[in-house]
Every structure is written in structure tokens, then in C-alpha cells.
């Protein structure tokens, strides 16, 4: 029998995100509560300022660009406190928001712009060159590129988003009518094993429900007016806003619960620790590589991190050793959660009070969901036995954009989403994720599709055949991509060739897709009779190489 959540069932509001956030009757915190703070410039948004800025931008989209319901606005930017207002302004106008990784090359960005059907792009000044190049490739006019953040374009060619206003100055524009369960709020892109990222279609109901579920999962531990000086919880945000993890857990949760979000444009350990100390940060969402640094880096000893009440780790499995190392060193508790882009994202979280009792568990199933662990024959396995996790709930995405086959394969006939992740649950209802069915490499929470890298590498003049796998890099506490290469006849297999291959790929892909696991030269790539790469054979080879390397050091 499917497992039901042990949390009380929630009454999910049947409303769009704008109504959920800005027309609610149950808000406890005041209009002037500060929600978003830029940690570099100290610029901030209160609840009312975010709402009013969003409303101005939404009316501006309709006035200046005649924005239609279903039009897609792409965002290409590191974390910025302008992001929430821009997103909700687009939603007010009936738009769909598609955030893109700021590390993307022009080709990678162009793919997302074309696939999503984006009508305009918001970026920051340092990213203009790539944005212009990508837009040119897909036919988006330069006057549809606008800026966010503090830097302006001196030439005045590219407007700041705050200048996209209702020029007529009238109130004739009205909020778009939204069907919450069917109309999209976001198109986030999740890399697939086919080589191209897939557009994950998230409805307004998906995000509304997951925000409510997340609040229940935290069980009131995060408050808007508790703690010292009754200032409420202060959350440090470095996880990317272009990912579902940042969108829901950071942007939407903070606005809905009245939490103050201190926004970092990118992660830096010393800066992270300094901000915790300076602002008395009480909570942060993290990933395992950050936990590793907190447990081992000498930098951490220079700062007082005692204000942290809890860390929540997600995006990849966390080992007991890492959790214990941080607790023994800093007395900071770390709980785990689990989710995917396709689940909006959070499906499980560990209760605060049991973080140490069940280290390694991703916690309990959040409300309004059912789950099953299934064997390869698609039969449910009992508690304690390993299977693939299947989920059903209001937070499950609507499907993959322009990909009916991928959507069909992701769901069962009765509506369960096949996560592709393997694990088990124990007798107490704690869930564990131990492996992945899918071939994706996860580098620090970012997804890296092997087939995409192989498609680029195979064109390299030194390469005859190639396969890419993920190997565990214990120094980074993360998987990293490694290429197994059959060199072209006459090409010397050595360090010089490896450098040419690694450097050549680095110029073609985002930072997180680079070959941090290096290159290994082989005589042939193991393949099945149908030509499919046998990655498991290469993974075994990598394990043997690691064992030999360890022995050689003894």
C-alpha cells in the first residue's frame, strides 16, 4: 500500500501565486517587514515594496510590451533581490517565468530561450554580452533585453526593469485571470540524459502547495518575530534562484512566512561565515560541499557562527561523517531534505527534533503526498527494502515542455511520478535516498548530463570515441564529470592531450559541467549490442583505479 504522509492534511488554497502572497487574509507580519536584503549593497525590499514594485512591473509589461497570458519572461542572472518582484510582476501580467543559469554560454542560453519560447530576457550588466549573443541566435530583439540589479547601461540602450512602466499612467490594466492548477508559473530547466535540458512545467498550484507543505514541515520553527530582539529568523541565501530549490525554499517561503532573506550573489566561504557573524543569521539552506567546508576549512575558525539554529542540506546525499564533523566542531545541527525540480521541489524533510537520531535520512514525507518504493518489475517493496521512489501530490509538475514522450515516461497511468531515485523507508516512516536510476551526474547540486558532454567531446580533433561518467571527488564532497577517451590514431595519450580536451570543453560549457574528474585514455568504450554505453563498466573501472591509487599511497 502507498505510504501516506503522517503530517495532517493541508487545505491548499486554489489560487494563483499573486493572490496567495498578496491578497491573503491570514498574513501576520506587517507591510514594512523587511524580506530581502542585498548583502553587498544593503539595498532591501519590505513586503510592501516588493508587492508595489511587482505591480508596477506587471502593468509595465502590459503597457510597454502588450504582454499576453502565457508569454514567457526569461531571467539570466545570479541571485538578485530584484528577482522576486520581477517574477511576480510577470505573474500578475499572466506571464510564465523561465530562470536560466548565469553560468550558461550563449549557445546553452539560446537553447533555453528557443525551447521556452521566451518573449524577453532580464539580465544584469556584466552578463549583457552573452545575453545579446543568445537573443540574436533566437530572434529576440535587443529592445526586449532589460536589466536588473544596481548597474545601469551608460549607453541607455538597455533599459532597467524599473523603467518598464505603465506609460499612460492610468489604471486600465487588470491582473490576468489564472487557472492555478493548469496555468504555468515557472519553466525551470532540468538536464536530461538525452543531452538537452528539459523544461519542467510548474503550475501556480505546484508552487503554492509546496510553499504550504514546506511551512508545515518546518513546524513553526521558523518565525517572523521570534528570537533575540523579536527580529525573527534570518536566512542566508546563496543557493541559486534559477533552481527550484531556491525559488520555493528561499524566495517564496521567505515572502509567505515573513522571514528576512540575506541574499548572496554567489557563494564564498569566508563571506558566508562573515555574514552569519555580522547579521546573526539563524538558518541556511546548504548543500553537502558547503557542509564539508564547515567541517574542515581553517577559515571557519575565524568566525562566530553560534547564531545558527539549524542548517538544512539538500540537492545531494549527505553522509553521517560530514554531519558529525560539523556538530563536533561547531555544535551546529544539520537536517536533511529531499526533492526535485519536478516536485517544486521539496517532498521530504527531517523534523528539527530528530536531526541527530536519523542522520542519513531525508526525513518524513510532507503533507498531501503519497509515496511508494518500487522494484524493477514495478511491484511495491516493503519497508526496509530498496526500490525506486514514486510520488503523487499537488506539488508534482505538469510535464516536460515540448516533450510528450519524456512526460509519458515520467508518469504511471494512475498519476505517480517516477523520480528515478533509489532508496527505502524504515519502520518509523523515515525515508532514505541511496542512489539514482538516472545517469545524471550531480556536481554540487547542479545536474550534468553525460550525453551532452559526449556530444561536444566527440567532435574534438583528438578524440575517436568518448564516454562521460560521474566519479566521487571526496575533496569536493561531490560527484565530478570524468571523460573516458579513445584517442584518434596518431594522437599521443598524455597530459598535453588531456589538457587540450579539458580546456576545449571548458570554452563550450558552463562552469559546473567541466571535466573536474579529468580524462582517462582507453582502447575502447564498453557498449551493449545496441550501441548503448555501459557506464556501469566504466564506474567499476573508476573504483578499481581509486583502490589502486590508495594502495600506491600506502
Amino acid at each position: 500500500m502507498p505510504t501516506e504522509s503522517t503530517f495532517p492534511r493541508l487545505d491548499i488554497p486554489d489560487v494563483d501565486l499573486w493572490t496567495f502572497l498578496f491578497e491573503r487574509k491570514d498574513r501576520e507580519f506587517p507591510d514594512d517587514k523587511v524580506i530581502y536584503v542585498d548583502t553587498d549593497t544593503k539595498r532591501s525590499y519590505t513586503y510592501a515594496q516588493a508587492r508595489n514594485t511587482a505591480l508596477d512591473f506587471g502593468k509595465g509589461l502590459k503597457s510597454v510590451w502588450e504582454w499576453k497570458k502565457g508569454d514567457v519572461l526569461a531571467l539570466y542572472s545570479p541571485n538578485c533581490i530584484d528577482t522576486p518582484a520581477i517574477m511576480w510582476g510577470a505573474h500578475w501580467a499572466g506571464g510564465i517565468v523561465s530562470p536560466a543559469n548565469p553560468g550558461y554560454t550563449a549557445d546553452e542560453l539560446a537553447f533555453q530561450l528557443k525551447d521556452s519560447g521566451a518573449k524577453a530576457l532580464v539580465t544584469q550588466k556584466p552578463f549583457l554580452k552573452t545575453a545579446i549573443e543568445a537573443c540574436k541566435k533566437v530572434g529576440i530583439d535587443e529592445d526586449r533585453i532589460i536589466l536588473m540589479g544596481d548597474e545601469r547601461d551608460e549607453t541607455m540602450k538597455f533599459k532597467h526593469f524599473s523603467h518598464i512602466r505603465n506609460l499612460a499612467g492610468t489604471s486600465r490594466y487588470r491582473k490576468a485571470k489564472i487557472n492555478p492548477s493548469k496555468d504555468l508559473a515557472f519553466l525551470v530547466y532540468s538536464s536530461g540524459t538525452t543531452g538537452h535540458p528539459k523544461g519542467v512545467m510548474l503550475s501556480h498550484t505546484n508552487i503554492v502547495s509546496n510553499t504550504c507543505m514546506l511551512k508545515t514541515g518546518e513546524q513553526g520553527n521558523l518565525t517572523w518575530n521570534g528570537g533575540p530582539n523579536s527580529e525573527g529568523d534570518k536566512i542566508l541565501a546563496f543557493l541559486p534562484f534559477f533552481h527550484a530549490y531556491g525559488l520555493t525554499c528561499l524566495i517564496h517561503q521567505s515572502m509567505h512566512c515573513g522571514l528576512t532573506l540575506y541574499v548572496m550573489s554567489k557563494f564564498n566561504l569566508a563571506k558566508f561565515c562573515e555574514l552569519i557573524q555580522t547579521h546573526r543569521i539563524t538558518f541556511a539552506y546548504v548543500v553537502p560541499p558547503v557542509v564539508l567546508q564547515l567541517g574542515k576549512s581553517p577559515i571557519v575558525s575565524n568566525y562566530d557562527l553560534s547564531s545558527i539554529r539549524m542548517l538544512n542540506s539538500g540537492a545531494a546525499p549527505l553522509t553521517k561523517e560530514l554531519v558529525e564533523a560539523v556538530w563536533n566542531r561547531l555544535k551546529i545541527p544539520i537536517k536533511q531534505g529531499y526533492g526535485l525540480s519536478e516536485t517544486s521541489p521539496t517532498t521530504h524533510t527531517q523534523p528539527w527534533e530528530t536531526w541527530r537520531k536519523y542522520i542519513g535520512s531525508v526525513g518524513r514525507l510532507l503533507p498531501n503526498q503519497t509515496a511508494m518504493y518500487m522494484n524493477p518489475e514495478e511491484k511495491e517493496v516493503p519497508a526496509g527494502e530498496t526500490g525506486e521512489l514514486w510520488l503523487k501530490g499537488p506539488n508534482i509538475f505538469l510535464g516536460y515542455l515540448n516533450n510528450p514522450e519524456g512526460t509519458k515516461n515520467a508518469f504511471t497511468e494512475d498519476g505517480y511520478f517516477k523520480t528515478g531515485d533509489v532508496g527505502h523507508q524504515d519502520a518509523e516512516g523515515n525515508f532514505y535516498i541511496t542512489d539514482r536510476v538516472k545517469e545524471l551526474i550531480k556536481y554540487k547540486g547542479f545536474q550534468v548530463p553525460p550525453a551532452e558532454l559526449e556530444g561536444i567531446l566527440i567532435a574534438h580533433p583528438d578524440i575517436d570515441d568518448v564516454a562521460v561518467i560521474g566519479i566521487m571527488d571526496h575533496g569536493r564532497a561531490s560527484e565530478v564529470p570524468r571523460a573516458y577517451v579513445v584517442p584518434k590514431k596518431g594522437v599521443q595519450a598524455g597530459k598535453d592531450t588531456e589538457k587540450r580536451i579539458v580546456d576545449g570543453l571548458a570554452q563550450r560549457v558552463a562552469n559546473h559541467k567541466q571535466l573536474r574528474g579529468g580524462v582517462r585514455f582507453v582502447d575502447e568504450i564498453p557498449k551493449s549490442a545496441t550501441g548503448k554505453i555501459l557506464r556501469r563498466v566504466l564506474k567499476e573501472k573508476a573504483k578499481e583505479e581509486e583502490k589502486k591509487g590508495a594502495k600506491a599511497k600506502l
Side-chain angles (χ1 to χ4, degrees):
M1 286 289 291
T3 300
E4 298 277 346
S5 172
T6 55
F7 285 105
R9 191 165 183 83
L10 298 178
D11 183 16
I12 306 293
D14 184 26
V15 295
D16 62 275
L17 278 166
W18 181 274
T19 305
F20 175 66
L21 293 171
F22 299 121
E23 296 176 12
R24 54 191 289 206
K25 301 291 190 287
D26 61 344
R27 177 165 58 92
E28 298 175 334
F29 55 92
D31 281 1
D32 63 357
K33 170 70 181 179
V34 174
I35 306 293
Y36 306 112
V37 179
D38 184 311
T39 56
D40 291 323
T41 67
K42 307 303 183 285
R43 188 162 64 91
S44 65
Y45 279 94
T46 63
Y47 171 86
Q49 287 169 337
R51 181 190 183 278
N52 294 337
T53 304
L55 187 59
D56 285 344
F57 182 62
K59 288 181 177 179
L61 286 176
K62 288 195 168 195
S63 171
V64 178
W65 288 343
E66 297 181 349
W67 208 255
K68 304 285 192 299
K69 182 179 172 181
D71 282 354
V72 174
L73 180 68
L75 303 182
Y76 177 61
S77 166
N79 286 2
C80 177
I81 63 168
D82 295 330
T83 298
I86 288 171
M87 291 188 325
W88 294 322
H91 289 153
W92 184 91
I96 301 165
V97 177
S98 186
N101 185 338
Y104 272 172
T105 62
D107 283 341
E108 291 169 320
L109 177 58
F111 172 82
Q112 183 167 332
L113 294 176
K114 184 177 181 181
D115 192 66
S116 67
K119 303 291 185 186
L121 176 67
V122 187
T123 188
Q124 291 198 52
K125 189 185 171 189
F127 299 85
L128 254 178
K129 183 181 177 184
T130 304
I132 293 167
E133 187 181 342
C135 286
K136 188 175 181 181
K137 288 175 184 286
V138 299
I140 295 176
D141 290 339
E142 286 192 1
D143 64 1
R144 286 290 184 108
I145 302 173
I146 58 175
L147 298 179
M148 66 197 301
D150 294 281
E151 287 190 75
R152 304 295 200 269
D153 173 34
E154 305 89 359
T155 69
M156 306 297 287
K157 183 177 180 180
F158 299 97
K159 293 179 181 177
H160 195 260
F161 86 94
S162 57
H163 295 154
I164 305 296
R165 290 176 171 270
N166 176 10
L167 301 179
T170 67
S171 57
R172 67 187 178 92
Y173 296 107
R174 295 286 181 267
K175 180 174 136 345
K177 291 182 179 178
I178 299 294
N179 181 333
S181 62
K182 292 187 177 167
D183 289 335
L184 301 188
F186 294 100
L187 265 172
V188 297
Y189 274 73
S190 176
S191 295
T193 54
T194 56
H196 275 307
K198 293 180 289 189
V200 176
M201 299 190 290
L202 298 173
S203 70
H204 286 257
T205 295
N206 289 154
I207 306 298
V208 168
S209 62
N210 203 239
T211 304
C212 292
M213 290 156 63
L214 198 59
K215 184 177 182 180
T216 299
E218 298 301 347
Q219 292 183 306
N221 285 300
L222 296 176
T223 65
W224 69 271
N225 63 348
N229 306 319
S230 298
E231 292 179 337
D233 277 290
K234 301 174 180 180
I235 302 179
L236 189 52
F238 66 88
L239 293 174
F241 290 171
F242 64 81
H243 193 283
Y245 194 176
L247 277 179
T248 306
C249 298
L250 298 175
I251 291 179
H252 286 88
Q253 183 182 209
S254 57
M255 181 55 88
H256 187 251
C257 298
L259 311 172
T260 304
L261 198 70
Y262 287 81
V263 179
M264 298 175 70
S265 59
K266 62 182 179 180
F267 181 78
N268 171 278
L269 181 63
K271 184 76 172 173
F272 177 81
C273 294
E274 179 194 334
L275 290 169
I276 291 173
Q277 176 177 283
T278 302
H279 298 291
R280 306 305 292 161
I281 300 295
T282 61
F283 186 89
Y285 287 97
V286 296
V287 288
V290 173
V291 178
L292 174 73
Q293 291 184 63
L294 290 174
K296 293 187 175 181
S297 174
I299 291 172
V300 177
S301 301
N302 299 327
Y303 300 93
D304 174 11
L305 309 184
S306 61
S307 61
I308 290 282
R309 301 199 295 124
M310 179 67 74
L311 296 178
N312 184 95
S313 182
L318 189 63
T319 64
K320 182 183 176 77
E321 290 74 18
L322 289 181
V323 175
E324 291 288 7
V326 173
W327 176 251
N328 291 336
R329 182 185 190 187
L330 302 170
K331 290 296 179 278
I332 293 176
I334 306 172
K335 69 188 187 74
Q336 274 201 85
Y338 169 77
L340 306 98
S341 298
E342 291 88 342
T343 58
S344 305
T346 311
T347 61
H348 297 72
T349 194
Q350 252 182 323
W352 285 42
E353 65 274 12
T354 63
W355 73 269
R356 204 168 187 197
K357 186 176 180 182
Y358 300 108
I359 293 178
S361 165
V362 296
R364 293 162 58 191
L365 188 65
L366 288 176
N368 296 47
Q369 299 177 103
T370 55
M372 297 187 288
Y373 278 110
M374 309 296 283
N375 66 20
E377 290 73 43
E378 301 198 344
K379 303 290 184 188
E380 188 175 5
V381 299
E385 290 190 21
T386 298
E388 181 187 0
L389 180 61
W390 290 8
L391 292 165
K392 185 188 283 190
N395 53 311
I396 306 297
F397 75 130
L398 301 189
Y400 298 113
L401 182 71
N402 306 326
N403 191 345
E405 190 65 23
T407 300
K408 182 182 176 184
N409 292 337
F411 288 94
T412 64
E413 287 185 5
D414 57 348
Y416 276 91
F417 168 54
K418 304 175 183 179
T419 66
D421 286 325
V422 169
H424 65 276
Q425 61 176 312
D426 63 21
E428 287 81 38
N430 298 291
F431 283 69
Y432 295 79
I433 301 296
T434 53
D435 208 340
R436 286 192 303 282
V437 174
K438 300 172 185 176
E439 296 173 343
L440 288 175
I441 300 161
K442 275 198 173 179
Y443 173 67
K444 295 188 176 182
F446 293 108
Q447 295 177 326
V448 183
E452 180 187 359
L453 302 190
E454 288 157 1
I456 296 170
L457 288 168
I458 199 67
H460 194 283
D462 294 334
I463 293 176
D464 199 29
D465 201 2
V466 61
V468 175
I469 63 167
I471 61 156
M472 190 63 193
D473 183 330
H474 297 287
R476 292 184 172 96
S478 176
E479 273 191 320
V480 293
R482 171 184 289 172
Y484 282 83
V485 167
V486 178
K488 277 233 168 77
K489 196 171 182 181
V491 173
Q492 185 69 37
K495 288 291 180 185
D496 289 346
T497 305
E498 177 178 2
K499 188 175 188 307
R500 285 198 300 274
I501 292 169
V502 171
D503 291 350
L505 183 71
Q507 294 172 12
R508 301 281 305 280
V509 298
N511 181 58
H512 66 274
K513 297 178 185 175
Q514 295 179 18
L515 292 175
R516 287 179 170 79
V519 173
R520 297 291 184 270
F521 295 98
V522 292
D523 294 329
E524 65 176 357
I525 301 298
K527 295 179 181 178
S528 69
T530 57
K532 185 179 179 183
I533 295 170
L534 299 174
R535 296 186 205 280
R536 68 179 183 277
V537 176
L538 291 174
K539 284 184 175 286
E540 287 300 320
K541 184 178 178 67
K543 286 179 184 175
E544 287 301 317
E545 289 171 358
E546 186 176 353
K547 283 181 187 175
K548 286 178 184 176
K551 285 180 181 177
K553 290 178 183 176
L554 293 175

